[in-house]
Amino acid sequence: MAASRRTVVILYALHSWTGIVTGLLLFVICFSGAVVVFKNEIDLWANPSLRALPQVAAPAGPDAVLAHLAQRYPGIKPESMTVPNEVTPAWFVFARMPDNPQRMKIAARADNGEIIGEVDSELGQFFRMLHVFLFFGPRWIVGFLGVAMFFLIVSGFVIHRKIIKELFTVRWRKSLRVTGSDLHKSVGVWALGFHLLIAFTGAWLGLAPVFERAYAHVAGASTAGSAMAAVAAERPSSSAAPFSVDRLMAQAKEDMPGLRVKGVTLRNPDRDDAEVGFYGGLDGLLFNNTNLAYRGGQLVRSNDPRVKGFWSQFNGLMEPLHFGDYGGLVLKWLYFLIGMSPALLSLSGTLLWIERRKLRQRSRSGGQHV
């Protein structure tokens, strides 16, 4: 029993100091993560000109958008495009002008591809950048915060072993510290499964790419898709026809049945040997790491999680499970409301630690005067 008690004391100290050291950053990460569930809705709300656009069942193709873009902004270099969806009734094009290195975000009508203009506000993207990168560092920093959050959840559950018995007991008439402590523990247990999911997927998204790059460097792994490029070289090139993103998109859906294109990447789109990529999801599946790329009209890279094995499928599930973008509005509200709880836990935990520290100091001070 003594060893068990000692373990709990050590865990309590580690839990407290981990919370203090990471508390503010975890609050920012968790708060922005809850808000970013509504990224598309926030961007639409912040741009009145987009809210007035009609929703269309069959949007105009990327060729129409690119043609209008070249006419409106001569010399512009498009880099990527996002497809209109059930929330956003517009194409978005990310591009740069030759004399301006800053990337522009330009909206186009979904029905005919006509250019609306530069997007006035990217409030939703602001919250995403805050959540994913904290604005100042690589994504692995947020990954380590996910590990810290996971440890705080597990250690907190171990420390408060009797919380299951007290789950329905909140001492409202006691002091603010006691009531806050009860709420802190209860919320942590009621949302335990969701918190573990968010912590694990956040840690995976931040740290898995680091380990993958390290493994590829050590093992001398070849670049992804080289085998696919060799197979694709046997296919007849379609670059003899005029360059068309519409045609390549249709080809991508034929090469990967069930593909739902969410976005397009462009490299040298004004040349016949342009590289065009398509990324998105698959009908009836949550995987988000589906993509294909064509160069000069030939398929050079492809990632279909359905045939890539367990780890590709596992990796493809992480982002949808973390951001809750695989369901409708009800699921988003659930992610938002429950997602706010770890932010409140990080704040309440810090306040409880400060209050306990003050009590200990007063206790020592009172003992010295006796």
Side-chain angles (χ1 to χ4, degrees):
M1 183 65 68
S4 175
R5 222 180 273 121
R6 184 170 181 273
T7 300
V8 170
V9 170
I10 294 173
L11 272 179
Y12 183 84
L14 290 173
H15 179 91
S16 298
W17 282 107
T18 300
I20 292 302
V21 172
T22 64
L24 178 59
L25 290 177
L26 281 175
F27 176 81
V28 172
I29 290 294
C30 295
F31 177 82
S32 59
V35 173
V36 86
V37 170
F38 292 106
K39 174 186 179 300
N40 291 335
E41 287 83 355
I42 291 172
D43 278 338
L44 193 63
W45 169 80
N47 293 275
S49 61
L50 301 181
R51 294 204 302 270
L53 295 176
Q55 289 277 6
V56 295
D63 283 350
V65 178
L66 292 173
H68 285 292
L69 182 72
Q71 185 177 6
R72 177 77 170 268
Y73 301 95
I76 197 167
K77 301 293 183 182
E79 296 179 350
S80 62
M81 312 170 68
T82 59
V83 180
N85 54 47
E86 62 277 2
V87 176
T88 307
W91 282 91
F92 288 130
V93 183
F94 299 88
R96 302 178 196 270
M97 295 296 292
D99 57 347
N100 186 358
Q102 186 173 1
R103 193 171 72 158
M104 305 162 62
K105 182 179 181 182
I106 301 168
R109 291 179 63 101
D111 52 356
N112 57 19
E114 289 183 357
I115 300 300
I116 300 168
E118 290 188 61
V119 174
D120 298 325
S121 173
E122 295 187 61
L123 186 58
Q125 183 65 13
F126 168 86
F127 282 110
R128 182 175 175 87
M129 292 295 293
L130 183 62
H131 178 70
V132 175
F133 298 106
L134 281 173
F135 279 124
F136 62 79
R139 196 169 185 175
W140 59 260
I141 295 177
V142 178
F144 276 118
L145 288 173
V147 174
M149 180 178 172
F150 195 90
F151 170 76
L152 287 168
I153 296 167
V154 175
S155 60
F157 187 78
V158 174
I159 291 166
H160 305 292
R161 289 171 296 177
K162 296 180 180 180
I163 193 173
I164 301 299
K165 297 179 182 178
E166 304 172 355
L167 196 55
F168 299 96
T169 303
V170 177
R171 292 165 287 184
W172 297 103
R173 297 184 180 181
K174 296 289 184 178
S175 66
L176 183 62
R177 183 184 66 81
V178 173
T179 302
S181 178
D182 288 348
L183 287 172
H184 181 84
K185 290 182 286 187
S186 297
V187 170
V189 172
W190 277 112
L192 180 66
F194 180 83
H195 293 166
L196 288 171
L197 173 68
I198 294 302
F200 178 81
T201 53
W204 181 276
L205 290 170
L207 296 178
V210 177
F211 292 119
E212 287 175 359
R213 288 194 295 269
Y215 174 78
H217 178 74
V218 172
S222 60
T223 57
S226 58
M228 178 58 68
V231 173
E234 300 176 2
R235 294 176 48 181
S237 172
S238 56
S239 61
F243 176 76
S244 168
V245 181
D246 285 8
R247 177 174 51 76
L248 287 177
M249 184 182 290
Q251 183 64 53
K253 293 178 180 179
E254 181 180 324
D255 290 337
M256 189 176 291
L259 174 67
R260 289 180 287 106
V261 178
K262 295 182 180 180
V264 183
T265 58
L266 301 161
R267 184 177 180 184
N268 300 320
D270 53 343
R271 291 164 34 178
D272 285 343
D273 64 344
E275 183 170 308
V276 182
F278 302 95
Y279 63 89
L282 295 164
D283 289 339
L285 299 172
L286 295 185
F287 308 129
N288 80 317
N289 57 341
T290 306
N291 58 79
L292 304 92
Y294 297 84
R295 186 181 301 121
Q298 295 182 344
L299 181 63
V300 293
R301 290 191 304 277
S302 176
N303 184 63
D304 186 344
R306 294 171 296 190
V307 300
K308 286 287 186 177
F310 171 78
W311 285 113
S312 179
Q313 296 176 11
F314 184 81
N315 189 50
L317 290 173
M318 292 298 100
E319 188 159 326
L321 290 176
H322 188 76
F323 289 103
D325 57 359
Y326 56 91
L329 193 59
V330 173
L331 183 66
K332 288 185 177 183
W333 275 110
L334 284 174
Y335 261 74
F336 172 78
L337 293 173
I338 306 177
M340 279 293 182
S341 59
L344 297 176
L345 285 173
S346 64
L347 181 62
S348 63
T350 302
L351 294 176
L352 288 170
W353 182 86
I354 293 173
E355 183 63 24
R356 290 192 190 100
R357 193 173 179 84
K358 288 180 178 178
L359 286 175
R360 285 196 297 267
Q361 290 175 345
R362 284 199 293 266
S363 177
R364 292 195 194 101
S365 177
Q368 290 173 355
H369 290 291
V370 174

